[in-house]
Amino acid sequence: MSILDSKVPEGPLEEKWTKHKNTINLVNPANKRNIDVIVVGTGLAGGSAAATLAELGYNVKTFCYQDSPRRAHSIAAQGGINASKNYQGDGDSNYRLFYDTVKGGDYRSREANVHRLAEVSGNIIDQCVAQGVPFAREYGGLLDNRSFGGVLVSRTFYAKGQTGQQLLLGAYSAMNRQINRGKIKPFNRHEMMDLVIVDGKARGIIARNLITGEIERHSAHAVVIASGGYGNVFFLSTNAMGSNVMAAWRTHRRGAFFANPCFTQIHPTCIPVSGEHQSKLTLMSESLRNDGRIWVPKKKEDAEAIRAGKLKPTQLKEEDRDYYLERRYPAFGNLVPRDVASRAAKERCDAGYGVNKTGEAVYLDFASAFKRYGKEKALTSGLTGATEAQIIKLGQAVVESKYGNLFQMYEKIVDENPYETPMMIYPAVHYTMGGLWVDYNLQTTVPGCYAAGEANFSDHGANRLGASALMQGLADGYFVLPYTIGDYLSEDIRTGAISTETPEFDQAEKEVKDRINKLMSGSGTHSVDYYHKILGKIMWNKCGMSRNAKELQEAIDEISALREDFWKNVRVPGTADTVNQELEKAGRVADFLELGELFAKDALTRNESCGGHFREEYQTPEGEALRDDENFKFVSAWEYKGAPKDAVLHKEELIYENIELKTRSYK
């Protein structure tokens, strides 16, 4: 084990980033034309990084498994993007955004990175407005803001419930401009299969053309991994079905440390599981908690009657409803952070108060918002003496203007009208705070290999606050990586083009082909999904919202045995030299079967509760997370040594000079 150096600059927190930019090495424009950069993943982090690096003059190659960068999973983000503009005049600042993010992450993130994130957040909004992103605007024409969980100010910029889509289209348009100029060469429908290291530096990748099956070599002076998170290790998650860990995990196998794999976010507002037939879950934006109130019946007999279909939620009187978040956390109410809201929902459902047929759902109710907005609209419209029905109709129109597409989506999936009956929600796997370990420059432990966005671990600690994923992805891509990568590339101005005809590329390609052949040669007993579903159930039941030492050890043993069976008995039909989606899935699930075991090992070694990592042995009498700052105030960074059970732990000690460590309270 070693203590990792994060290379955070010296000096006062608010001056670190400015001083660092002023002193790091740069590459002059004429030399940038001779330097190649590979970007794997074209979501918000990868797309913005590729566009900015190409604008600066580097030659960029982008890789994504989708048919277009527009299909990246960033498109699914709904609620908004944070920035400390203080447009509302409610007391926001860079420091408050920094503080809320560190506190929300349960004091398990790096101070310097989070403060930098807050500093550049305002620039992101300016950049996106200039690109034409249609953010919502208030009456006076300024950009509007709404609140998200874990904060006491309104700092979330949004475009209805389609914020991720609009931001991605902005990044994609910036990419397209560079593609048209010849500065970006896109490789869509390509999947990174391995990282190639030459003389200790990342010098390219091996990729598979998903249309032809051809294995290709691509070289560069640096490689950026921006391939998103690993939530699909749980099989059921809010991620796109294609989302995977392959690029990050193959980088890990080549020497990049993997940090905090057990820090995974369970999102409290998702459409509940309806049966064994499902292959993914759907998120309902956290922004809905601005106006929706979460409740369950106060009496178990009412919950049982609702589950049996004998009682409708609208028939339950106000005094018979338990608005449990408002009761337990009066200061923040329904806008507590995601980990807190998720555990509270689980606690109520486990106690027998769940409201759907499986008993695993709570209500998200907009009836109060309809009346509140309706009264205001009636007054501003000059309607005196409006009836309650008129007020509710006016209020529904206001809510529709703010969240309309989310309500439509819910009705299409559940076949219930959320304007007439409360939504049903339940927690589900959503985002991963863990990822490739990076230093202050976003460089992994492999020189020349960088990680951006959700693929790295750096900014969210043990729990991500809502609307911070889009902020981090665009901060990394537009405003951090383009500066810091130049510090490394300044050493390569005389290197010349990197050849792919070398022993290192030969060996990497051979290993990729051998792995594919091994997958294709299984005995053919079970499908890929058969193994993925079993893995998902192990992960959810034993590494999900709550964990304990006994079940984590069981998970490690069960995943190890499942992985062994997978390699012997998986059935992959077709051939490797053409389109073969089962082969694609097989490669991804093979990596999940390794990551899942390391995930459980990481959770077992962290003997505390913090954020999304809740160990049942470590909780307060009230059932809240109990941190152990004396023994676990560090980042767990794992070095690959073959089997996950042999992974070696390295620590990055977390130093807090600007924030007082204390028990997180939202009461």
Side-chain angles (χ1 to χ4, degrees):
M1 188 191 79
S2 66
I3 302 297
L4 289 169
D5 178 11
S6 59
K7 297 180 182 171
V8 171
E10 298 292 327
L13 183 67
E14 61 276 7
E15 297 175 12
K16 287 182 189 293
W17 177 231
T18 301
K19 282 189 172 180
H20 190 60
K21 286 192 294 182
N22 288 341
T23 55
I24 58 175
N25 293 318
L26 301 176
V27 181
N28 89 38
N31 288 329
K32 284 174 184 159
R33 293 195 289 269
N34 301 317
I35 292 178
D36 305 321
V37 181
I38 283 173
V39 179
V40 181
T42 53
L44 286 181
S48 59
T52 310
L53 290 168
E55 179 76 38
L56 289 171
Y58 296 106
N59 307 309
V60 179
K61 292 181 181 179
T62 60
F63 292 80
C64 67
Y65 70 80
Q66 299 95 339
D67 55 1
S68 163
R70 285 177 302 145
R71 304 281 291 185
H73 188 57
S74 300
I75 202 170
Q78 298 167 349
I81 176 170
N82 288 332
S84 49
K85 287 280 199 182
N86 196 32
Y87 281 178
Q88 304 296 310
D90 56 0
D92 204 4
S93 64
N94 286 351
Y95 182 85
R96 193 173 289 278
L97 173 54
F98 155 69
Y99 176 84
D100 287 343
T101 305
V102 173
K103 177 186 175 185
D106 220 349
Y107 305 95
R108 289 293 175 264
S109 45
R110 190 188 290 154
E111 270 195 346
N113 284 63
V114 179
H115 196 276
R116 174 173 67 188
L117 182 64
E119 284 180 70
V120 305
S121 65
N123 297 342
I124 299 169
I125 305 304
D126 297 340
Q127 169 93 357
C128 294
V129 169
Q131 289 173 339
V133 173
F135 287 121
R137 293 179 182 268
E138 59 178 19
Y139 178 75
L142 288 176
L143 299 185
D144 197 13
N145 290 118
R146 53 190 178 202
S147 278
F148 262 61
V151 304
L152 293 172
V153 297
S154 295
R155 65 162 66 102
T156 304
F157 295 78
Y158 64 97
K160 277 199 170 181
Q162 311 166 356
T163 315
Q165 180 185 33
Q166 299 302 328
L167 293 172
L168 185 63
L169 289 172
Y172 178 61
S173 65
M175 275 186 70
N176 266 342
R177 180 169 174 271
Q178 301 305 324
I179 292 169
N180 196 44
R181 292 179 64 219
K183 295 303 292 182
I184 291 179
K185 191 171 183 183
F187 290 86
N188 303 342
R189 301 292 289 141
H190 280 68
E191 186 156 52
M192 172 181 161
M193 307 298 287
D194 211 344
L195 182 73
V196 182
I197 296 177
V198 181
D199 296 331
K201 296 179 178 180
R203 290 304 199 191
I205 65 169
I206 305 295
R208 180 172 181 266
N209 182 322
L210 300 181
I211 303 296
T212 66
E214 184 182 354
I215 303 301
E216 302 175 1
R217 304 178 182 194
H218 296 273
S219 65
H221 297 87
V223 176
V224 178
I225 306 296
S227 53
Y230 49 88
N232 276 354
V233 69
F234 287 83
F235 185 69
L236 284 178
S237 83
T238 66
N239 290 192
M241 287 177 65
S243 298
N244 63 83
V245 77
M246 185 180 285
W249 193 255
R250 301 294 167 87
T251 303
H252 171 56
R253 289 171 66 105
R254 290 294 182 188
F257 293 178
F258 207 97
N260 297 336
C262 79
F263 285 172
T264 303
Q265 180 162 80
I266 312 291
H267 198 296
T269 48
C270 298
I271 295 177
V273 176
S274 59
E276 289 290 319
H277 60 284
Q278 272 184 281
S279 54
K280 81 173 297 293
L281 296 172
T282 304
L283 170 72
M284 298 309 296
S285 169
E286 182 178 313
S287 62
L288 294 171
R289 289 198 275 146
N290 270 286
D291 291 312
R293 299 176 72 194
I294 294 172
W295 64 274
V296 292
K298 277 184 180 175
K299 302 171 189 169
K300 278 191 183 176
E301 54 265 36
D302 287 340
E304 289 164 2
I306 286 172
R307 289 199 293 269
K310 297 175 182 176
L311 183 67
K312 293 182 178 178
T314 49
Q315 295 173 317
L316 218 57
K317 295 176 183 174
E318 190 74 9
E319 59 267 25
D320 293 326
R321 302 178 179 193
D322 178 15
Y323 295 94
Y324 58 87
L325 291 178
E326 297 171 34
R327 169 172 56 82
R328 289 178 61 176
Y329 309 102
F332 284 75
N334 294 297
L335 284 171
V336 291
R338 292 173 175 180
D339 60 321
V340 177
S342 294
R343 282 197 297 276
K346 182 179 187 296
E347 183 274 327
R348 288 289 79 195
C349 291
D350 288 351
Y353 296 91
V355 294
N356 69 346
K357 288 179 182 176
T358 65
E360 293 185 324
V362 299
Y363 286 126
L364 180 62
D365 194 337
F366 287 83
S368 297
F370 295 152
K371 290 180 182 177
R372 186 176 74 253
Y373 284 127
K375 285 176 183 176
E376 185 180 314
K377 187 70 175 175
L379 287 171
T380 57
S381 303
L383 288 175
T384 54
T387 66
E388 184 168 315
Q390 286 176 313
I391 285 171
I392 289 172
K393 192 169 183 181
L394 288 169
Q396 287 176 342
V398 174
V399 168
E400 184 179 8
S401 70
K402 295 178 77 172
Y403 312 109
N405 61 307
L406 300 174
F407 277 60
Q408 287 174 354
M409 189 169 69
Y410 180 89
E411 186 170 6
K412 280 185 179 179
I413 293 170
V414 181
D415 197 26
E416 284 187 358
N417 185 342
Y419 292 103
E420 296 173 1
T421 187
M423 289 183 182
M424 287 187 292
I425 56 166
Y426 194 69
V429 173
H430 178 56
Y431 185 92
T432 54
M433 285 75 68
L436 293 171
W437 184 88
V438 291
D439 62 16
Y440 189 70
N441 284 342
L442 303 185
Q443 187 170 220
T444 69
T445 48
V446 174
C449 181
Y450 291 75
E454 192 179 358
N456 74 31
F457 87 100
S458 69
D459 293 0
H460 307 298
N463 174 61
R464 176 178 69 82
L465 291 183
S468 288
L470 307 186
M471 175 175 63
Q472 186 218 339
L474 292 179
D476 286 356
Y478 282 135
F479 298 110
V480 178
L481 185 75
Y483 273 106
T484 60
I485 201 169
D487 192 44
Y488 172 81
L489 292 173
S490 64
E491 301 290 321
D492 270 321
I493 59 174
R494 291 189 176 87
T495 303
I498 306 294
S499 172
T500 58
E501 300 302 318
T502 64
E504 292 86 355
F505 274 92
D506 291 345
Q507 181 63 25
E509 183 179 324
K510 179 182 182 302
E511 289 177 18
V512 165
K513 288 180 174 176
D514 288 348
R515 187 177 176 88
I516 289 172
N517 290 335
K518 191 176 178 185
L519 284 170
M520 298 296 297
S521 63
S523 70
T525 310
H526 301 295
S527 69
V528 175
D529 276 353
Y530 167 86
Y531 290 100
H532 199 176
K533 285 179 180 179
I534 294 175
L535 173 64
K537 284 185 176 174
I538 295 169
M539 295 298 295
W540 181 248
N541 292 332
K542 298 182 178 180
C543 309
M545 271 194 279
S546 63
R547 302 141 186 200
N548 60 62
K550 175 178 175 290
E551 290 186 339
L552 286 169
Q553 186 57 59
E554 289 171 1
I556 290 169
D557 297 338
E558 289 171 22
I559 294 169
S560 179
L562 184 68
R563 186 171 64 250
E564 187 178 340
D565 187 69
F566 170 88
W567 281 104
K568 287 179 185 172
N569 295 316
V570 70
R571 179 176 73 248
V572 181
T575 61
D577 57 356
T578 184
V579 174
N580 190 336
Q581 291 191 311
E582 283 299 301
L583 176 59
E584 293 169 36
K585 282 199 291 186
R588 297 164 187 171
V589 172
D591 289 340
F592 280 140
L593 284 163
E594 293 183 10
L595 166 71
E597 186 178 337
L598 184 65
F599 184 122
K601 178 175 179 171
D602 185 44
L604 184 60
T605 59
R606 187 168 282 276
N607 295 322
E608 65 165 353
S609 291
C610 58
H613 168 63
F614 190 78
R615 282 284 296 272
E616 293 166 8
E617 304 96 325
Y618 308 101
Q619 56 180 299
T620 66
E622 296 83 30
E624 305 291 347
L626 186 61
R627 276 198 337 266
D628 180 354
D629 293 331
E630 188 176 339
N631 296 303
F632 291 95
K633 190 169 51 109
F634 61 79
V635 175
S636 299
W638 296 94
E639 181 183 4
Y640 182 79
K641 291 289 185 183
K645 66 180 174 59
D646 299 323
V648 174
L649 175 64
H650 300 264
K651 296 179 181 179
E652 179 200 336
E653 297 293 341
L654 291 169
I655 299 162
Y656 290 95
E657 298 173 331
N658 300 273
I659 286 183
E660 178 191 354
L661 284 165
K662 53 188 177 184
T663 301
R664 233 179 10 148
S665 174
Y666 293 95
K667 296 182 178 181

